Amino acid sequence: MTDRYAVIGNPISQSKSPLIHTAYARSTGQDLAYTAIEGPLDGFAGAVQAFRAAGGRGMNVTAPFKLQALELATVKLERAELAGATNALKFEGDEVIADNFDGIGLVNDIQRNLGVALAGKRVLLLGAGGATRGCLLPFLEQEPALLAIANRTVSKAESLVQALRGRRKLHGDILVCGAYGDFGHERFDVILNATSASLKGELPPVPASCFGPDTLAYELVYGKGLTPFLRLAQQAGCRQVADGVGMLVEQAAEAFEWWRGVRPDTTAVIQQLTVPLV
């Protein structure tokens, strides 16, 4: 019998998940069907239960349901708990198991696909929202020399650090500041834009002096071409820029392996979805 999986969100028509997981199923010989579900804004839990009742085995979760999905889970794995949100659910008997693969997908893209090892590196994360929450633990597990968080509201960034310190012995240092300009005298090996600025065609207020020729500038948004953040990085002399398409594909591969026990190759799908950064 064909196993059923889905992605749920609202809106959902823009999701690439059906394309990605269908490609993974084909390449690994897995018998599954993967669909997209537009969940009612006031009926998320009911939509999940209906999918389970119809034989669903697992779901990806996207905006605006990632917090509700964590609340619905009966088993919350560490990455989901630390992120305060989940992007993947697995149904086993009466259990709803939640994990979060955004951060490990990003780490895999940076290290495997882009060839940038994070160990011993100086990393700057712009923003302290949900994307940053999901990244912190996977990044710290790579033992960077420094993981800095720049955010307009210092208390929001500090709360992320406090939650993490309460659960884990941390390697390296975390530097939190409330003003992007406070990092103007620093230079970083990796700078990631985890803010929503690029969705609005805006530039986060990161000083150009933070970039060097060998800095990796990474835009978590994907499919937008050369965003203002990436353009600033290039103008500052940065030779390596990337958007989040690899993160999208790699986090999907993590979920697929979690559900099916087989790891799909991501290369062809990344190539298919990549939009030139021009």
Side-chain angles (χ1 to χ4, degrees):
M1 180 180 294
T2 300
D3 292 328
R4 297 183 60 197
Y5 297 86
V7 59
I8 186 168
N10 188 322
I12 199 60
S13 60
Q14 81 287 353
S15 176
K16 303 297 185 185
S17 291
L19 182 156
I20 294 170
H21 284 277
T22 298
Y24 287 165
R26 186 183 307 114
S27 67
T28 58
Q30 295 290 301
D31 184 12
L32 64 85
Y34 190 104
T35 56
I37 298 173
E38 184 163 283
L41 294 176
D42 59 352
F44 169 74
V48 173
Q49 295 301 339
F51 183 72
R52 289 183 68 195
R57 299 283 301 276
M59 302 183 87
N60 287 122
V61 183
T62 188
F65 299 127
K66 289 186 176 184
L67 298 180
Q68 292 182 56
L70 186 65
E71 294 173 359
L72 185 67
T74 58
V75 178
K76 301 174 178 67
L77 300 183
E78 184 180 33
R79 286 180 300 211
E81 278 202 307
L82 288 174
T86 179
N87 74 337
L89 299 173
K90 180 163 62 173
F91 310 130
E92 292 185 349
D94 294 332
E95 302 289 3
V96 179
I97 308 170
D99 207 336
N100 189 306
F101 297 113
D102 284 335
I104 189 61
L106 176 57
V107 167
N108 287 346
D109 187 38
I110 291 172
Q111 298 198 136
R112 295 178 184 175
N113 301 327
L114 300 177
V116 178
L118 293 170
K121 298 295 177 61
R122 293 170 53 80
V123 180
L124 174 62
L125 271 166
L126 308 179
T132 296
R133 291 182 68 99
C135 293
L136 286 181
L137 180 57
F139 267 74
L140 288 168
E141 287 175 339
Q142 305 309 310
E143 301 189 18
L146 172 68
L147 180 59
I149 305 170
N151 195 60
R152 295 181 190 275
T153 307
V154 64
S155 60
K156 187 174 183 179
E158 285 177 337
S159 70
L160 301 186
V161 177
Q162 290 169 359
L164 196 56
R165 288 190 186 281
R167 297 182 60 90
R168 278 294 187 103
K169 180 180 179 180
L170 304 183
H171 298 282
D173 298 311
I174 298 181
L175 175 63
V176 179
C177 91
Y180 289 82
D182 289 356
F183 288 116
H185 63 288
E186 307 243 17
R187 183 164 287 186
F188 294 87
D189 301 302
V190 180
I191 302 178
L192 304 106
N193 181 24
T195 74
S196 61
S198 293
L199 293 173
K200 310 168 189 174
E202 299 173 354
L203 176 68
V206 56
S209 53
C210 291
F211 299 91
D214 297 322
T215 301
L216 167 64
Y218 194 105
E219 173 72 77
L220 268 66
V221 169
Y222 65 92
K224 300 293 185 183
L226 198 64
T227 64
F229 167 74
L230 295 179
R231 187 174 295 109
L232 172 67
Q234 285 190 340
Q235 292 171 348
C238 185
R239 292 190 292 257
Q240 187 173 18
V241 299
D243 73 359
V245 66
M247 173 186 176
L248 170 72
V249 175
E250 291 292 344
Q251 64 81 26
E254 292 290 322
F256 191 93
E257 184 177 16
W258 186 47
W259 292 331
R260 308 300 297 179
V262 58
R263 174 82 186 186
D265 183 75
T266 59
T267 305
V269 180
I270 291 174
Q271 291 175 347
Q272 181 180 355
L273 295 179
T274 293
V275 173
L277 298 179
V278 295

